[in-house]
Amino acid sequence: ERPTTVYQAIGGAATMEKLVDAFYNRVEQNALLRPLFPPSFDEVRERQYWFLTQLFGGPRLYQEKRGQPMLRARHLPFPITEKHAQAWLSCMYEAMVEAEITEPAREAMLQRLTMTAYHMVNTEIDTD
Ligand code: HEM
């Protein structure tokens, strides 16, 4: 049978774990993004794993553990500019390559995440 979700197509939980690890390793090294996050990435890494799993058609882990995503509201405490969204998306693109997520899944995921990332932008003021 052909896979019916992006989650299945990329290899499910194992690939999602690799992706999230590779992503936050990059965020941690990114001078623009690092200051927005707490010292430890452990919690956000786990929550992002739940969220991306659910977003791409896997088990509804985020809903179970955290309820309604309301992601824009949850990001309001952090000043996020277009530059942050671009940096976030480049970390994600590189993480997808590292996790060996191939086309067409990579492009489908990137398109969806691009919308979400720009939706999180909540200030025009660059402080860097
Ligand atoms: C949480 C930054 C985009 C999903 C967070 C946190 C920060 C952050 C600082 C909170 C860390 C903490 O103190 O716990 C950013 C920046 C973005 C961005 C700078 C640039 C646009 C996104 C996108 C998604 C996402 C596109 C979804 C695909 C999440 C999730 C959480 C989170 C699921 C955890 C929310 C919870 O508390 O349950 N993000 N984020 N973020 N972010 Fe983002």
Side-chain angles (χ1 to χ4, degrees):
E1 284 221 347
R2 296 180 65 214
T4 53
T5 64
V6 169
Y7 178 78
Q8 285 178 301
I10 64 172
T15 306
M16 208 48 106
E17 266 179 43
K18 279 191 208 161
L19 174 64
V20 169
D21 281 351
F23 175 67
Y24 286 107
N25 289 341
R26 282 175 173 75
V27 172
E28 199 163 12
Q29 301 302 317
N30 187 285
L32 191 60
L33 297 175
R34 182 69 187 90
L36 295 178
F37 287 85
S40 169
F41 282 91
D42 292 353
E43 280 206 332
V44 71
R45 188 189 290 111
E46 187 170 37
R47 291 169 181 178
Q48 186 65 270
Y49 171 79
W50 297 335
F51 183 78
L52 293 178
T53 294
Q54 168 168 329
L55 182 69
F56 291 111
R60 299 189 61 77
L61 302 177
Y62 191 89
Q63 190 75 36
E64 258 168 48
K65 318 250 187 199
R66 300 283 290 161
Q68 285 300 116
M70 302 179 300
L71 275 195
R72 193 167 194 284
R74 292 192 201 264
H75 286 76
L76 284 179
F78 314 102
I80 299 178
T81 63
E82 277 189 21
K83 283 187 191 174
H84 290 105
Q86 284 157 10
W88 193 103
L89 288 164
S90 10
C91 289
M92 184 53 79
Y93 177 80
E94 289 173 10
M96 284 177 176
V97 173
E98 185 178 327
E100 297 178 77
I101 294 172
T102 53
E103 302 300 355
R106 191 166 67 207
E107 184 57 28
M109 291 176 80
L110 216 54
Q111 269 191 31
R112 184 66 181 78
L113 293 172
T114 299
M115 283 176 38
T116 311
Y118 284 96
H119 184 59
M120 298 307 158
V121 173
N122 54 29
T123 179
E124 293 185 0
I125 303 164
D126 279 316
T127 51
D128 60 301

